[in-house]
C-alpha cells in the first residue's frame, strides 16, 4: 500500500478521501506533524489547492495532493464560491454558513447551484490538477444529519436526498470531490 499525503486538517474530508482511495494509505497533515494553518489566499479554487500542495511539498519534500471546494450559486453570481468555508465570516461554523446562504436565497426562485472541487497533485516533481463538478439546487430548509458544510441544503440533480441524507458510498460516487478524486485515481493508475 502506497502512502500519499492529503493536505488537509479537515477530518470529514479525510474520511471521504480515505473511503474513495482505499488502495492508498492516505495521511493527513496531522500524520506528518504539520500543524500549520496554511493560508489560502488565492482568488480561485485551483489557486488555493496549489498553495496547499506546494506548501507540503516545499516544507516536507513529499508527494501530496490538496483540494479546494466551493459551492457556486447561480442567483448569487457564483457566490459563495472560493469563500464557501468562510462565507459567514472568519471562524464561522458550517451552520453559520448554511443559515447565511438560506437567508440570501429566501426570496429567490432560482436555486440552481453546483459544487466544484479542484485537486492539485504534486508527484515526483510535477504538478497536475483535476476538477469535479456536481449540479443541483439549494433546498429551502435543511435535511439530513450526515456530511458537513452545505450538505444539508444541497440536492444533487436526479436525486431526492440531500448530500446530508445520503450514505457516504453514494455521495462519494456522485459528489464533486468524488468525481475529482476518481480522475486522480485514474491518473495514478497510469503512473
Amino acid at each position: 500500500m502506497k502512502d500519499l499525503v492529503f493536505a488537509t486538517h479537515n477530518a470529514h474530508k479525510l474520511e471521504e478521501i480515505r473511503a474513495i482511495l482505499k488502495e492508498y494509505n492516505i495521511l493527513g497533515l496531522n500524520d506528518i506533524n504539520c500543524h500549520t494553518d496554511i493560508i489560502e489566499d488565492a482568488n480561485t479554487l485551483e489557486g488555493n489547492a496549489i498553495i496547499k500542495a506546494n506548501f507540503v511539498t516545499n516544507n516536507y519534500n513529499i508527494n501530496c495532493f490538496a483540494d479546494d471546494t466551493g459551492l457556486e450559486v447561480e442567483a448569487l453570481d457564483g457566490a459563495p464560491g472560493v469563500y464557501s468555508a468562510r462565507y459567514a465570516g472568519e471562524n464561522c461554523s458550517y451552520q453559520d454558513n448554511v443559515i447565511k446562504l438560506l437567508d440570501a436565497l429566501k426570496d429567490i426562485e432560482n436555486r440552481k447551484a453546483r459544487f466544484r472541487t479542484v485537486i492539485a497533485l504534486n508527484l515526483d516533481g510535477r504538478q497536475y490538477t483535476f476538477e469535479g463538478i456536481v449540479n443541483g439546487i439549494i433546498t429551502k430548509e435543511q435535511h439530513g444529519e450526515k456530511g458537513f458544510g452545505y450538505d444539508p441544503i444541497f440536492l444533487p440533480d436526479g436525486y431526492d436526498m440531500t448530500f446530508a441524507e445520503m450514505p457516504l458510498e453514494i455521495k462519494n460516487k456522485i459528489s464533486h470531490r468524488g468525481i475529482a478524486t476518481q480522475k486522480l485515481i485514474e491518473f495514478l493508475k497510469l503512473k
Side-chain angles (χ1 to χ4, degrees), residues 111-126:
R111 302 183 79 82
K112 289 181 187 174
R114 70 180 189 170
F115 263 123
R116 194 162 66 91
T117 292
V118 177
I119 292 175
L121 169 69
N122 287 352
L123 184 69
D124 301 330
R126 300 199 56 194

Side-chain angles (χ1 to χ4, degrees), residues 15 24 31 44-45 52 56-57 80 88 90 92 96-97 104 128 140 164-165 172 190:
E15 178 186 2
Y24 288 85
D31 297 318
T44 64
L45 299 175
K52 290 185 279 190
V56 173
T57 299
E90 292 297 325
C92 63
D96 295 335
N97 287 330
Y128 310 89
K140 293 192 176 187
E165 295 174 295
N172 281 344
L190 301 175

Side-chain angles (χ1 to χ4, degrees), residues 127-138:
Q127 188 167 76
Y128 310 89
T129 59
F130 310 91
E131 180 181 61
I133 296 172
V134 62
N135 293 305
I137 61 165
I138 302 301

Side-chain angles (χ1 to χ4, degrees), residues 13 39-53 66-72 78 80-86 114 116-120 127 129-131:
K13 280 187 181 184
I39 305 300
E40 302 174 46
D41 56 3
N43 59 3
T44 64
L45 299 175
E46 182 178 71
N48 282 335
I50 288 169
I51 286 170
K52 290 185 279 190
D67 81 332
D68 198 26
T69 295
L71 175 65
E72 300 169 343
V82 73
Y83 304 105
S84 293
R86 54 193 182 279
R114 70 180 189 170
R116 194 162 66 91
T117 292
V118 177
I119 292 175
Q127 188 167 76
T129 59
F130 310 91
E131 180 181 61

